[in-house]
Amino acid sequence: MVGIVGAGNVGQALAWRLHALGFSVALLKRPYQVLEAPFAVASSWEGFPWPALETVFLCVRDVQLPTVAAQISPRLTSKVPVFHTAGSVELAVLEPFFGSQAGVVYPLQSFSVGRPVDWGQFFVFWEGTSAAQTWAETLTQDASKVRFADSKTRLRLHVGAVFTANFVNALFHMAETILPAPFSREVYLPLTKEVLSKLRVLSPEKAQTGPARRGDQETLAKHLALLQEVAPPLAPLYQHLSQYIQSYMAQSSVQ
Amino acid sequence: MVGIVGAGNVGQALAWRLHALGFSVALLKRPYQVLEAPFAVASSWEGFPWPALETVFLCVRDVQLPTVAAQISPRLTSKVPVFHTAGSVELAVLEPFFGSQAGVVYPLQSFSVGRPVDWGQFFVFWEGTSAAQTWAETLTQDASKVRFADSKTRLRLHVGAVFTANFVNALFHMAETILPAPFSREVYLPLTKEVLSKLRVLSPEKAQTGPARRGDQETLAKHLALLQEVAPPLAPLYQHLSQYIQSYMAQSSVQ
């Protein structure tokens, strides 16, 4: 039986995935969480089938990992691999408790409860016990999407994920702030989709377009003037990001 | 015959599209541009079939529009509609030359020479002569993707396009700057694709995830420390964008 501690976005996604793959799953949620599932769900520490667990995934908040690890280690037999799933937490946090059975399984994806994701389309990174690699391959069902990443590399991957997920989302918030009714972010989705398509085959330097890349000072000035009028907090961000583009284009070999 | 002045990304895209739709097209390129095409291509002002043109699209740089408009207006009959295709240039730039025949056809998409785009999947905005609306509908082949936008609204649309295209691309440059070999931006493409999928159905506030949204100060501090070590110019951008997320989440009704 696979135990999953924590029923947030990642915990629920793992539970559904492993259940769909035919594993027997037990998920530990908080007492107030409402959750209907075809697998075992416990709401209390005591109600969780610790002795039956052959693998444990810890899907709790980063700061809780040491506490949770300390609490569960006496309840498990010494041969049970225990993984965390966090981008920015070192493997070393688990090693004092689980020794060579400690591992990390880090899926580089944005999970939201209720939204199925396409396992096998994104990468899953592992570290520590080789069981972590095995589980990453089980989850993806595609070994080509599984990579080893040490804790420092995983931290870098996670920072990059913040740029390409949370900050991309924030840019849509900014764009929507500027837009007059009746227009909405819908007008931008095909544009960003095309940017992603280009990035499949071109470097960001080669794929870049727009006034900052062209050095079109007149348009940059018009844009800044508009922002200062309709959304002043966006003006320094516009300037900061445009300067970033101009500085990397200046250093680039791309014309 | 449709005349297209300027054979950059937009001019070439329009020429190919209109040719594919069965129109007779003449494209005016610069003498040094190499371009093979199934439609008429001229390299000089004198070689362009001005008297035969029934419609003209100006696809030149923003700053050149008044000059080009002044040069072509004496060569056209007064009933020929003339459009520009720029996001940040007012219709008023063309009106002194073409009066009520002046218009704008602004496709909100990122064009690159040699990359076909899916007309009808993105919006095309128009202003001025009603012929602009008709041509927008011809280009999209889908009137539901055509919208009127006055010059001020179009400027806002264009600024938003910078955020959701040029700046998204820049975020990929940043993410790649942080990544150690052998990883590349490829690891982030499925993540950003998922962010876009969420934005089809959720507001940016509801779709937001990550340490800034969670108020996870420990992870934010780890990320900043890493950036200060491996890519110092990215640290202030990380902070700036994280603060933006925290400020809009604080004002939001989304928990």
Side-chain angles (χ1 to χ4, degrees):
Chain A
M1 182 175 257
V2 181
I4 299 171
V5 178
N9 292 325
V10 176
Q12 287 200 41
L14 286 181
W16 281 93
R17 175 63 170 171
L18 291 171
H19 171 76
L21 290 169
F23 291 93
S24 171
V25 171
L27 177 65
L28 183 57
K29 68 171 184 69
R30 290 172 190 260
Y32 62 77
Q33 277 186 293
V34 180
L35 196 162
E36 279 193 45
F39 41 77
V41 178
S43 292
S44 76
W45 206 252
E46 296 72 29
F48 207 57
W50 299 107
L53 300 182
E54 293 152 306
T55 299
V56 176
F57 287 90
L58 303 179
C59 305
V60 299
R61 281 173 165 255
D62 293 7
V63 289
Q64 297 177 318
L65 278 169
T67 319
V68 171
Q71 287 177 299
I72 74 170
S73 72
R75 301 172 188 242
L76 298 173
T77 69
S78 63
K79 284 292 172 199
V80 173
V82 178
F83 314 114
H84 79 64
T85 54
S88 294
V89 179
E90 307 89 71
L91 174 62
V93 163
L94 299 186
E95 284 173 330
F97 306 102
F98 311 109
S100 65
Q101 297 305 308
V104 180
V105 175
Y106 171 56
L108 187 45
Q109 184 51 284
S110 172
F111 297 97
S112 294
V113 165
R115 277 187 68 84
V117 294
D118 281 341
W119 291 92
Q121 295 301 303
F122 54 88
F123 286 89
V124 177
F125 298 90
W126 69 276
E127 187 181 6
T129 169
S130 64
Q133 180 176 11
T134 308
W135 279 103
E137 290 174 2
T138 299
L139 284 164
T140 56
Q141 296 287 303
D142 180 352
S144 78
K145 291 294 183 180
V146 171
R147 294 281 189 282
F148 172 81
D150 64 21
S151 292
K152 182 75 178 270
T153 301
R154 194 173 63 257
L155 177 62
R156 289 177 177 226
L157 287 162
H158 191 211
V159 177
V162 168
F163 281 91
T164 55
N166 307 148
F167 292 170
V168 167
N169 188 79
L171 291 175
F172 269 82
H173 185 274
M174 297 176 206
E176 220 167 31
T177 299
I178 310 159
L179 267 184
F183 301 116
S184 76
R185 63 189 178 277
E186 182 199 4
V187 301
Y188 296 122
L189 292 168
L191 183 63
T192 312
K193 199 175 153 200
E194 173 65 10
V195 170
L196 293 189
S197 296
K198 284 190 206 180
L199 287 169
R200 290 189 192 282
V201 291
L202 297 175
S203 69
E205 282 96 338
K206 287 196 179 136
Q208 193 57 282
T209 61
R213 183 203 167 138
R214 288 194 301 272
D216 178 349
Q217 298 304 329
E218 201 179 356
T219 301
L220 291 170
K222 271 187 202 170
H223 286 186
L224 270 177
L226 177 80
L227 289 170
Q228 265 140 8
E229 182 195 333
V230 302
L234 297 185
L237 271 165
Y238 183 95
Q239 233 165 346
H240 206 153
L241 288 160
S242 294
Q243 280 160 5
Y244 181 83
I245 292 171
Q246 292 186 302
S247 84
Y248 78 70
M249 291 311 301
Q251 287 159 24
S252 159
S253 58
V254 178
Q255 57 153 334
Chain B
M1 181 174 256
V2 181
I4 298 172
V5 178
N9 292 324
V10 176
Q12 288 201 40
L14 285 182
W16 282 94
R17 173 64 169 171
L18 291 171
H19 172 75
L21 289 170
F23 290 92
S24 171
V25 171
L27 177 65
L28 183 57
K29 69 170 184 68
R30 289 171 191 263
Y32 61 77
Q33 276 186 294
V34 180
L35 195 161
E36 279 194 45
F39 42 78
V41 178
S43 293
S44 76
W45 207 250
E46 295 71 29
F48 207 58
W50 299 107
L53 301 182
E54 293 151 305
T55 299
V56 177
F57 287 91
L58 303 180
C59 305
V60 299
R61 282 172 165 255
D62 293 6
V63 289
Q64 296 177 319
L65 278 169
T67 319
V68 172
Q71 286 177 301
I72 72 169
S73 73
R75 301 172 189 243
L76 299 173
T77 68
S78 62
K79 285 293 172 198
V80 173
V82 179
F83 313 115
H84 79 64
T85 55
S88 294
V89 178
E90 308 89 72
L91 173 64
V93 163
L94 299 186
E95 285 173 331
F97 306 103
F98 310 109
S100 64
Q101 296 304 308
V104 179
V105 174
Y106 171 55
L108 186 46
Q109 184 52 286
S110 172
F111 298 96
S112 294
V113 164
R115 277 187 67 83
V117 293
D118 281 341
W119 292 93
Q121 295 301 304
F122 53 88
F123 286 87
V124 177
F125 297 89
W126 69 277
E127 187 182 7
T129 169
S130 63
Q133 178 176 12
T134 307
W135 280 101
E137 290 174 2
T138 298
L139 285 163
T140 56
Q141 296 287 302
D142 180 352
S144 78
K145 292 293 185 181
V146 171
R147 294 281 188 281
F148 172 81
D150 63 23
S151 292
K152 181 75 178 273
T153 300
R154 195 173 62 256
L155 178 62
R156 289 178 176 224
L157 286 161
H158 192 212
V159 176
V162 168
F163 281 90
T164 55
N166 307 148
F167 292 170
V168 167
N169 188 79
L171 291 174
F172 269 82
H173 185 273
M174 298 176 205
E176 219 166 32
T177 299
I178 309 159
L179 267 185
F183 302 116
S184 76
R185 64 188 178 277
E186 183 198 3
V187 301
Y188 297 122
L189 292 169
L191 183 62
T192 313
K193 200 174 152 200
E194 173 64 9
V195 170
L196 292 190
S197 296
K198 285 191 207 182
L199 286 169
R200 288 186 194 283
V201 290
L202 297 176
S203 69
E205 282 96 338
K206 287 195 179 137
Q208 193 58 281
T209 62
R213 183 200 167 141
R214 288 194 301 273
D216 178 350
Q217 298 302 332
E218 200 178 359
T219 301
L220 291 169
K222 272 187 200 170
H223 287 186
L224 270 177
L226 176 81
L227 289 170
Q228 264 140 9
E229 182 195 334
V230 303
L234 298 186
L237 271 164
Y238 183 95
Q239 233 165 347
H240 206 153
L241 289 161
S242 295
Q243 280 159 4
Y244 181 82
I245 291 171
Q246 293 186 301
S247 83
Y248 77 70
M249 290 311 300
Q251 287 160 23
S252 160
S253 58
V254 178
Q255 57 154 330

